[in-house]
Amino acid sequence: TTLDIATNTGHTIEFVDATITSRGTLLAPSSNAFNICGNWTNNGTFSESTSTITFNSGDTAINGTGTLNFYNVTINKTAKTNTLTPSKNVDINGALTITTGTFVCGANTIYVAGNYDNRPSTNANGFITFAAGGTIVFDGGSATIETGGTTIEPPDTGLASKRFYNVTIDCSGGTKTLITDHIYVANTLTITANSTLDTGNFNVTLIGSLVNNGNLVATGASTAIFSMSGTTGDATISGTPTGVTQ
């Protein structure tokens, strides 16, 4: 069964719980926005086009036996302690914006092809957390990364909520550029071949290893690209860089 909502272009569609069954397909036109107040369960096929899905309300989950693929995703919960928890890897082919709430990624891999926006100036109540082994992969083409630096919030839970565990820059031929704040990587930063990470005016705090097979540049006025402190062992630098400049 296929649900094509192209006739509702330009509208925002509200769901409490959104469930796509094993024989179901949901086709989203490019101009549509979805508000999801409950859980997203995809056991079938979701054709995201260039739509935007906003997860709001309280604690909810993303799950299902199908691929957890989206285009633009916004997390705008009622409070910073409200969570959005995926059961497995998530592929975001557009932008990820976290305004309010906590994206609890666990040991999963989150792919973000477009801009990543979790800046503290406007998204002070938006957080992201990873368990050991969790990875965020910035793929696709050129885009910006706006993080919360080394902020630890909320303090009552001890969550390092604007930090990453593993980060991979995999945008062959493109550049991912840090803007608005520093970035904190708790384990390994990997830059793949023909991919570029531009730190701009900001620093990278890395607790672990740098694997650079691409380009690492600092086009801004930062005086130190990396602050390495191997609290669980010696930090290592490896790879075959095609450009390392400051």
Side-chain angles (χ1 to χ4, degrees):
T1 302
T2 299
L3 174 60
D4 186 350
I5 54 176
T7 56
N8 290 312
T9 57
H11 298 284
T12 298
I13 299 172
E14 304 275 350
F15 289 98
V16 178
D17 291 312
T19 300
I20 305 171
T21 65
S22 60
R23 293 182 295 177
T25 299
L26 176 60
L27 304 178
S30 60
S31 57
N32 269 90
F34 300 84
N35 285 339
I36 311 296
C37 299
N39 298 320
W40 175 276
T41 303
N42 182 12
N43 294 318
T45 301
F46 175 55
S47 179
E48 73 272 21
S49 185
T50 55
S51 61
T52 297
I53 290 187
T54 298
F55 292 96
N56 48 34
S57 190
D59 297 344
T60 57
I62 307 173
N63 52 45
T65 58
T67 302
L68 301 182
N69 59 292
F70 305 97
Y71 192 73
N72 295 321
V73 170
T74 297
I75 299 172
N76 187 24
K77 296 289 189 173
T78 303
K80 64 184 181 182
T81 54
N82 291 137
T83 59
L84 177 66
T85 305
S87 64
K88 58 183 181 180
N89 298 345
V90 177
D91 189 5
I92 300 171
N93 294 306
L96 172 59
T97 303
I98 308 173
T99 56
T100 301
T102 302
F103 194 18
V104 182
C105 302
N108 297 309
T109 298
I110 310 299
Y111 298 87
V112 181
N115 296 332
Y116 174 87
D117 186 357
N118 190 18
R119 74 189 97 165
S121 59
T122 57
N123 303 344
N125 291 319
F127 307 115
I128 190 168
T129 66
F130 286 91
T135 302
I136 188 164
V137 178
F138 294 105
D139 58 1
S142 297
T144 58
I145 302 172
E146 301 184 76
T147 78
T150 59
T151 303
I152 300 177
E153 282 284 350
D156 55 323
T157 64
L159 297 176
S161 300
K162 289 184 181 288
R163 301 180 176 184
F164 303 118
Y165 189 76
N166 295 317
V167 172
T168 298
I169 307 296
D170 186 16
C171 54
S172 182
T175 300
K176 302 296 186 180
T177 304
L178 296 184
I179 58 175
T180 73
D181 214 327
H182 310 295
I183 189 172
Y184 186 106
V185 182
N187 192 49
T188 301
L189 170 62
T190 302
I191 306 172
T192 64
N194 300 316
S195 298
T196 299
L197 173 62
D198 183 353
T199 64
N201 289 313
F202 305 102
N203 299 330
V204 177
T205 298
L206 177 61
I207 314 296
S209 303
L210 168 65
V211 180
N212 181 19
N213 291 307
N215 296 285
L216 175 61
V217 301
T219 58
S222 58
T223 57
I225 298 177
F226 287 96
S227 172
M228 286 186 173
S229 53
T231 57
T232 58
D234 294 335
T236 60
I237 302 176
S238 63
T240 307
T242 56
V244 179
T245 63
Q246 179 178 356

